[in-house]
Amino acid sequence: MTISAVDATALPGRSGRALARVQFTLAAVYVIAIGVALGRAASFSGHLYLPHQGDEFTGSADLWPGLWAPTALVMIVVIGVAPWAAAAASLVAGTRLLTAGMRASAHGRSLIVGTVLAALVAVSSLTPQVKALLGWLLD
């Protein structure tokens, strides 16, 4: 075995698979939380719409009674924190993708897709629609 053969193979645990899984999980949990919030708002109005603080359908309703209260707390945390975690994971993955070992790894493509998804989660949190939804959840 030569030195060049050792450099070309990815070391165990450094393949990027775990980081890609974290990115996919963050994106999935974020999308599910937004979907549950929009679904809950649709249950009050009868149609899918973007809720906001004091809107005509949910302005005076008890949005999260009983067992819904922990769900609301989880959604608030996920929609508020997941974009920051996704941005950090994107930065870490971006630096990992620049290494020669990652380019030779079999999991490079999944890390690229995960990085794009995580970046989309981070960017989407800056949109007025997600900010309005988070404000509605906090109301």
Side-chain angles (χ1 to χ4, degrees):
M1 184 181 275
T2 65
I3 298 292
S4 62
V6 172
D7 290 339
T9 60
L11 297 173
R14 301 191 70 192
S15 65
R17 182 175 37 188
L19 184 56
R21 285 182 180 171
V22 166
Q23 290 173 328
F24 284 121
T25 302
L26 280 170
V29 168
Y30 184 75
V31 168
I32 289 170
I34 287 179
V36 169
L38 291 175
R40 185 70 178 146
S43 70
F44 285 97
S45 67
H47 63 280
L48 191 60
Y49 79 106
L50 183 63
H52 58 283
Q53 288 179 336
D55 65 4
E56 64 186 73
F57 300 111
T58 61
S60 62
D62 185 12
L63 299 175
W64 311 105
L67 294 176
W68 277 106
T71 305
L73 180 62
V74 168
M75 286 187 305
I76 290 168
V77 170
V78 167
I79 294 173
V81 175
W84 291 96
S90 292
L91 289 174
V92 170
T95 58
R96 292 288 311 276
L97 287 168
L98 295 175
T99 63
M102 194 63 201
R103 283 182 246 135
S105 173
H107 302 292
R109 245 183 270 152
S110 64
L111 188 59
I112 291 169
V113 172
T115 303
V116 169
L117 286 175
L120 287 173
V121 165
V123 169
S124 74
S125 71
L126 301 174
T127 63
Q129 293 84 5
V130 174
K131 288 181 179 181
L133 184 64
L134 185 58
W136 176 76
L137 285 170
L138 292 170
D139 185 26

